[in-house]
Amino acid sequence: MARDDADAPGGRACSLERLGNQDGLSRVWGKRMSGELSAEDFRADIKNWLEANCPPAMRGPMRDEADICWGGRNWVYQSHEQRLWLERMAAKGWTAPTWPGAYGGGGLDRTEEKVLREELDAIAARSPLESFGLWMLGPALLQFGNEAQKQEHLPKIVRGEIRWCQGYSEPNAGSDLANVQTHAEDKGDHYLVNGQKVWTSYADKADWIFCLVRTDREAPKHRGISFILIDMTTPGVSTRPIKLISGKSPFCETFFDDVKVPKANLVGELNRGWDIAKYLLTHEREMIGGGARGLLGVRALGEVLANYASDEDGQIVDPMLRTDAKRAEIDTWAFMLTLERFKDQAKAGRGVGDASAMLKYYGTELNKRRYELMMTAAGTDGLEWEGERSNDGALAREWLRTKANSIEGGTSEVMLGIIAKRILELPGG
Amino acid sequence: MNLIPTEEEALLQQSARKFLDDKASVKAFRKLRDEASTNGFDRGLWREMSEMGWAGVLVAEDSGGVGLGHRAAGVLAEEMGKTLVASPFLSSAVMAATALGTAASSESAALLPGISAGEIVVALAVDEGHKHDPAKTTLHAKPHGNGFRLNGEKSFVVDGHVADQLIVAARTSAPPTGLTLFLVDPKKKGVEIERTATVDGRNAARVRFDNVEANGDDIVGDIDGGWSILERALNAGRAALSAELTGVAAGAFGITNQYLKDRTQFGRPIGAFQALQHRAAHLYCEIEVTASAVANAGRELDRDPGAAAGAVSLAKARAIETARLAVSEGVQMHGGVGMTDEFDIGLYMKRARVGTEWLGDYAFHAERIAELRGF
C-alpha cells in the first residue's frame, strides 16, 4: 500500500539506513582519494551495496507508468519499497550520479557512472527517481545557476523532495518557441508575471516550475527572454489538466495572473534565457531520443510478440508481422548502438551537439513504429480500454501516448530542419 | 565496448583518406571501368595499398601482416567505399586471409605472407545459385584414391577470374554444416573459369569443377570441419562489406548534398527546399545509425569472432538498406543528370546493388537476427 507519512516505521528505518550508507560512502570516497580503490574494487563495492540495498520489489521491469517514482511534496509512494529505494539511492547521491557531492550528487565521473548503470542494469533495478529536476533543471543550474541557487535547489532534486515542471510552450509558441509572450515585468524588488503556458508536463503535481518569460518586448525575440524559477504555490499560479487521446492528462495549461517572483529566482543573465533554453532543448532531445525511462513506453516489443503472436515454439505466426518485427528489431538494435556510440563520444569529451536532433528524431519515430507493431500483435485484445485484464487499456493508452513523442521537445520536422541547416549546412529557405 | 574510433583508428582513417583521394578517386575507378580492365582492379595501386599494410590488416605479424583487426579493416573498407575503390581487399585480404588464418595449418599459413604483400590473390568460392546460401552447397568432393575429386559449379566468385588460388567450399557430408574447404589452383585440370563482368564495372567468375583432383594437403582446416572456418571468413567479409557499403552510402550522400547546394532552380539552390532538406536529413540519420552497427560488428569480431554473427548480420542488413536509400535518393535528387553516365551517382548505385547481393541480402541477414532473437 502507498505510504507517505514520515513517521511510519519504514521512515525511521530509512533514516538509520542513510546514516549507515553515509559511512560507507566516505569509506569508499577515502579509498578512491588515496588511490587504493581499483576499478574492480569500485565495481565490487557497488555490486555489494546494490545487492544489500535494492529491495527485491524494485527489481524487474516497470509494468506501467504508475511504477515510476516522481517524488515531490505531494508524492504518494506506491509502496514502502519504492520509498526505501529512493531514500537509499538519494543518500548515496546516485539519483544524480555525476552531480558534485557538494550539491548532494554522487560525484562520479563518467566511467564510474557507467559502472553504476551497468550494475543497476545487471539486477534490473528500477530507476529510483525520474524528474524534470534531474533531467533538465539540474543540468541548467549546474551550467548557468549561481551558488545560492545550486545550494538551494540541487540537493532537493537529488532527494526527490521537490518536483519540477517545465514552462516552455505557449499557445502561440510551439515549434516557434522563441515567440514566448508570458511577460515578467520588472517591479524593482520582484518580477510580476502574467501569461499562459501550455503542455506543462505534470504541472498539477509539480512544486516548482522553470519558465521562459519575456523580459524585453522591444528586443529581437531571442534576445528578450529570461529563465526564471517560480514556486507553484505562489498566489496567482493555477493549472488545468489537458485530457489527451490516451484518456490521460500528463500535461496542463498553466496560468500566471499577477504572480510575484523574487528577483533571486532569475537564472543566468537577464534577457539571455534563450541560451539556457537551447542548452536544455539539446539535453531534452538526447533524453527523449534515448528512450529515457519515464518519457517513453516501458514495454518491450519481444514480450508483446511472445505473448500474443507466437506459436508454442516461440515463432511469430503471421509472416507479415514477423517481417515487420525483424525490421523493427534491426533498427532498434542499431539505434541502441548509436546511443552507445554518442555516449562514448560524450565520455571522450566531445559533446553530442546538434546530433541530438538525430537521436530525438530517430528514437521517437522508432518508438511509434514499435507500438504500432505491438498493437497489431495484440489484435482485438489491444483495443480494451478498461478493466483488469488489460490493466485499464495500458497498451492502447501507451500506444496513443507515443504519438506525442515526435511532437514534444521539438517535432520531427523541426529536428530534420535542424539537421539540414546545422549539420548538412543546406541553405535557408 | 567503445564504439568511437581509437586514436590509432582515427589516424588510419585519415591516412587512408588522404592516400585514396590522391590515388584512388572516383575518377580513377571510372578510368578503370572505361578501359574495361580485365583484372577489374589496378595491380599497381593494390601493391601500394599492400605496402601500407592494408592487405595484411587481418594477418598476424608473424605471417607477414600487421594484424590490426576487423574494426581497422572496416575503417579501410569504409574509406574505400567512399570513392568506389576496386581492389581484392574483401576477397583476398579479408575473407581468404581469415579462412587461412583460422585454419592455422602450415599449408594455409604459407599463403599468408603472399596475401599480405599483395603478391597473390586468393578468392573464396562459396555461392552456387543466384542467392548467397552456403548451407545449400552442392558442389561435392568425393574420396578417390588417396585424395578427392571435386565436381560442381560455383557462381559469383569475386576476383575468381584473377585468383592465384581458390578456396572452395565443398559438400563432404550431410547438410547444412558438412563442408570441407579445399585450396584449388585454378590452373588445375578440370577447372574452367568464366569471367563475368558485373553491373558495377568489376568482375567475378563462374567456376566449373569437373573431376578436379585434390589431396589432404589441399584441405583448409579439417575434413568436414569447413563450416566454422567458412563462417569466420564470411562474417569477416560481411562486416567489411557492410563498412564498404556504409562508405558507398556516405560517398553518394556527400556528392548529393553538394549537388543540393550547387544546383539552382526557381532562383534558389534546390537544397533550400524543405521537401529535399527533410529527405536529406533523414538519410543522414540512417547513415549515422548504420555506422554504429558497422563499428559494433568490427568490435565484436575483434572481441570474439565466434560470437559475432548477430552483430555482423545487423551491420549487413542495415548497410544494405542505408546504401539503397542513399543511392536511390541520390539519383532522384540529382534529377535528370543523375541518370547520365557522366555523373558519378550512378556508379554508386551500381556498387551498392552488388554489395547488397554479395554475402547475403537483407532477408538472409534479417532471418539470422530473427533466429537469434527467437522470433
Side-chain angles (χ1 to χ4, degrees):
Chain A
M1 280 310 289
R3 276 170 198 267
D4 125 75
D5 68 9
D7 292 329
R12 277 198 295 277
C14 289
S15 305
L16 290 173
E17 282 285 341
R18 280 162 75 162
L19 287 172
N21 292 336
Q22 291 288 20
D23 287 349
L25 189 64
S26 34
R27 185 176 52 80
V28 171
W29 185 252
K31 279 216 259 177
R32 275 172 64 209
M33 294 307 282
S34 64
E36 279 175 53
L37 193 63
S38 69
E40 292 77 33
D41 286 343
F42 181 71
R43 186 181 290 277
D45 272 14
I46 284 185
K47 201 188 210 44
N48 291 336
W49 186 89
L50 289 176
E51 200 42 63
N53 289 283
C54 182
M58 290 295 105
R59 304 181 193 196
M62 298 203 192
R63 288 155 300 170
D64 54 45
E65 288 188 13
D67 284 339
I68 300 167
C69 177
W70 290 95
R73 287 178 193 139
N74 307 317
W75 184 249
V76 179
Y77 287 94
Q78 198 200 29
S79 65
H80 171 59
E81 288 83 359
Q82 190 184 56
R83 175 189 202 123
L84 205 58
W85 181 223
L86 170 57
E87 289 185 346
R88 287 173 175 176
M89 285 291 279
K92 286 282 213 185
W94 287 352
T95 47
T98 58
W99 294 8
Y103 307 124
L108 304 186
D109 65 26
R110 294 268 180 197
T111 312
E112 292 165 336
E113 185 206 13
K114 199 170 174 188
V115 172
L116 174 62
R117 297 257 171 250
E118 284 166 2
E119 292 305 320
L120 283 164
D121 287 347
I123 59 167
R126 291 183 184 175
S127 168
L129 178 67
E130 297 290 343
S131 83
F132 285 82
L134 288 175
W135 299 330
M136 306 190 69
L137 182 64
L141 287 180
L142 284 168
Q143 189 86 2
F144 298 95
N146 60 36
E147 190 55 33
Q149 288 166 341
K150 292 182 201 174
Q151 293 285 359
E152 169 64 21
H153 297 294
L154 294 176
K156 291 177 184 168
I157 293 172
V158 172
R159 295 194 297 264
E161 287 171 15
I162 293 294
R163 183 171 180 178
W164 286 85
C165 63
Q166 178 198 42
Y168 274 24
S169 298
E170 295 180 7
N172 288 312
S175 288
D176 183 11
L177 182 59
N179 193 39
V180 288
Q181 298 300 329
T182 295
H183 189 231
E185 191 186 349
D186 191 336
K187 288 287 188 183
D189 64 334
H190 67 272
Y191 294 110
L192 192 66
V193 178
N194 279 287
Q196 182 196 342
K197 293 288 173 184
V198 72
W199 307 123
T200 13
S201 305
Y202 304 109
D204 53 339
K205 299 184 175 70
D207 307 306
W208 279 68
I209 184 168
F210 52 95
C211 270
L212 293 181
V213 293
R214 186 148 304 280
T215 37
D216 186 344
R217 282 171 166 161
E218 308 307 319
K221 65 180 180 180
H222 294 88
R223 291 305 184 91
I225 296 170
S226 298
F227 190 97
I228 62 169
L229 312 176
I230 303 175
D231 186 335
M232 296 291 280
T233 59
T234 316
V237 180
S238 60
T239 64
R240 188 162 66 203
I242 303 166
K243 190 174 177 183
L244 298 185
I245 52 177
S246 61
K248 299 195 173 183
S249 305
F251 300 109
C252 293
E253 292 175 288
T254 305
F255 303 92
F256 302 93
D257 186 13
D258 282 338
V259 177
K260 286 185 182 176
V261 180
K263 286 204 150 170
N265 290 8
L266 171 74
V267 178
E269 275 179 62
L270 186 70
N271 294 326
R272 300 297 300 188
W274 187 247
D275 296 343
I276 308 178
K278 270 198 306 189
Y279 172 78
L280 280 184
L281 281 170
T282 305
H283 209 80
E284 183 184 11
R285 271 161 210 155
E286 286 171 45
M287 191 183 65
I288 294 175
R293 279 167 282 192
L295 268 187
L296 288 193
V298 288
R299 215 172 277 266
L301 176 61
E303 218 170 279
V304 176
L305 292 172
N307 285 347
Y308 282 109
S310 305
D311 62 17
E312 308 88 73
D313 302 329
Q315 170 125 351
I316 299 169
V317 180
D318 174 359
M320 185 72 95
L321 181 64
R322 189 161 183 271
T323 301
D324 289 345
K326 285 191 228 179
R327 280 193 183 273
E329 184 58 31
I330 285 167
D331 294 343
T332 303
W333 189 1
F335 178 68
M336 298 306 279
L337 289 168
T338 305
L339 289 178
E340 279 298 310
R341 181 158 69 89
F342 278 94
K343 262 188 233 160
D344 291 336
Q345 191 171 308
K347 207 171 94 180
R350 278 172 287 146
V352 176
D354 294 325
S356 65
M358 169 187 75
L359 300 178
K360 202 276 174 179
Y361 163 67
Y362 210 90
T364 55
E365 293 295 338
L366 190 58
N367 200 45
K368 288 197 295 183
R369 229 174 95 199
R370 290 161 56 80
Y371 270 87
E372 286 294 337
L373 267 180
M374 289 188 229
M375 287 298 283
T376 302
T380 52
D381 282 358
L383 306 179
E384 293 197 16
W385 192 246
E386 288 169 352
E388 209 174 314
R389 186 175 42 238
S390 68
N391 193 12
D392 279 334
L395 177 60
R397 290 170 197 269
E398 284 167 29
W399 160 69
L400 288 162
R401 176 66 182 82
T402 62
K403 302 305 178 194
N405 295 162
S406 50
I407 300 168
E408 59 203 339
T411 63
S412 284
E413 291 70 25
V414 168
M415 296 303 107
L416 291 171
I418 289 172
I419 294 164
K421 290 190 180 70
R422 298 203 202 138
I423 300 177
L424 308 183
E425 295 176 337
L426 289 170
Chain B
M1 195 149 31
N2 201 316
L3 292 175
I4 58 174
T6 61
E7 213 168 301
E8 188 182 59
E9 287 158 3
L11 281 173
L12 181 69
Q13 190 261 337
Q14 284 162 22
S15 66
R17 189 66 266 144
K18 192 168 175 301
F19 172 81
L20 294 171
D21 281 340
D22 192 27
K23 300 271 176 80
S25 61
V26 182
K27 210 168 150 188
F29 171 70
R30 180 182 285 279
K31 185 161 169 277
L32 196 72
R33 183 203 65 164
D34 291 345
E35 288 167 353
S37 151
T38 49
N39 281 331
F41 63 96
D42 179 341
R43 280 197 184 269
L45 177 69
W46 180 234
R47 243 191 320 274
E48 276 189 75
M49 286 155 76
S50 304
E51 276 163 19
M52 292 187 294
W54 295 10
V57 68
L58 291 176
V59 175
E61 284 182 70
D62 54 16
S63 294
V66 292
L68 290 181
H70 294 278
R71 180 64 200 119
V75 168
L76 292 174
E78 187 170 335
E79 292 310 316
M80 289 190 247
K82 284 179 189 167
T83 43
L84 302 175
V85 180
S87 86
F89 181 74
L90 281 167
S91 58
S92 193
V94 174
M95 289 200 286
T98 300
L100 296 169
T102 306
S105 65
S106 53
E107 287 83 3
S108 17
L111 292 174
L112 291 172
I115 290 177
S116 324
E119 284 161 6
I120 61 167
V121 170
V122 181
L124 200 59
V126 183
D127 291 354
E128 296 182 1
H130 65 291
K131 281 289 180 183
H132 177 69
D133 195 354
K136 295 214 173 97
T137 297
T138 61
L139 180 146
H140 55 266
K142 295 215 166 119
H144 181 81
N146 289 330
F148 297 87
R149 272 185 171 170
L150 275 62
N151 279 287
E153 185 176 335
K154 292 290 180 184
S155 60
F156 200 57
V157 181
V158 174
D159 296 318
H161 64 303
V162 288
D164 300 289
Q165 294 283 338
L166 297 170
I167 297 172
V168 184
R171 173 78 46 214
T172 44
S173 62
T177 57
L179 297 182
T180 304
L181 301 182
F182 289 90
L183 204 55
V184 176
D185 185 333
K187 290 192 265 314
K188 251 187 184 169
K189 188 164 166 278
V191 180
E192 186 198 327
I193 294 190
E194 177 196 341
R195 180 169 79 94
T196 49
T198 47
V199 64
D200 61 341
R202 290 191 301 173
N203 298 279
R206 286 179 186 269
V207 187
R208 289 175 200 92
F209 297 80
D210 181 16
N211 283 324
V212 175
E213 300 203 350
N215 62 39
D217 289 346
D218 300 326
I219 293 174
V220 179
D222 300 313
I223 297 175
D224 294 338
W227 181 264
S228 62
I229 298 172
L230 185 64
E231 263 294 294
R232 290 278 177 94
L234 291 172
N235 282 337
R238 289 159 180 158
L241 179 54
S242 306
E244 185 187 302
L245 277 170
T246 306
V248 169
F253 181 54
I255 59 173
T256 303
N257 199 42
Q258 190 57 50
Y259 190 76
L260 293 179
K261 294 171 189 176
D262 296 342
R263 169 73 172 167
T264 300
Q265 286 285 275
F266 304 103
R268 50 181 161 160
I270 59 171
F273 292 103
Q274 198 177 50
L276 295 183
Q277 286 189 347
H278 284 192
R279 280 161 60 182
H282 172 76
L283 176 54
Y284 163 83
C285 295
E286 294 289 0
I287 292 172
E288 284 292 316
V289 171
T290 295
S292 312
V294 166
N296 180 61
R299 290 268 186 268
E300 290 286 357
L301 280 171
D302 286 332
R303 192 177 60 88
D304 181 0
V312 168
S313 281
L314 176 72
K316 185 69 176 23
R318 281 288 318 181
I320 287 168
E321 283 298 80
T322 302
R324 183 190 55 73
L325 184 69
V327 297
S328 47
E329 287 289 69
V331 169
Q332 180 67 23
M333 290 186 191
H334 273 77
V337 299
M339 291 301 294
T340 64
D341 186 66
E342 188 189 336
F343 275 70
D344 290 338
I345 189 69
L347 298 175
Y348 284 90
M349 176 168 270
K350 293 168 182 176
R351 178 67 68 85
R353 187 61 235 165
V354 172
T356 293
E357 288 301 327
W358 193 13
L359 303 176
D361 66 3
Y362 189 89
F364 178 89
H365 289 288
E367 184 57 27
R368 288 189 2 144
I369 290 169
E371 279 165 17
L372 201 73
R373 285 284 194 264
F375 285 178

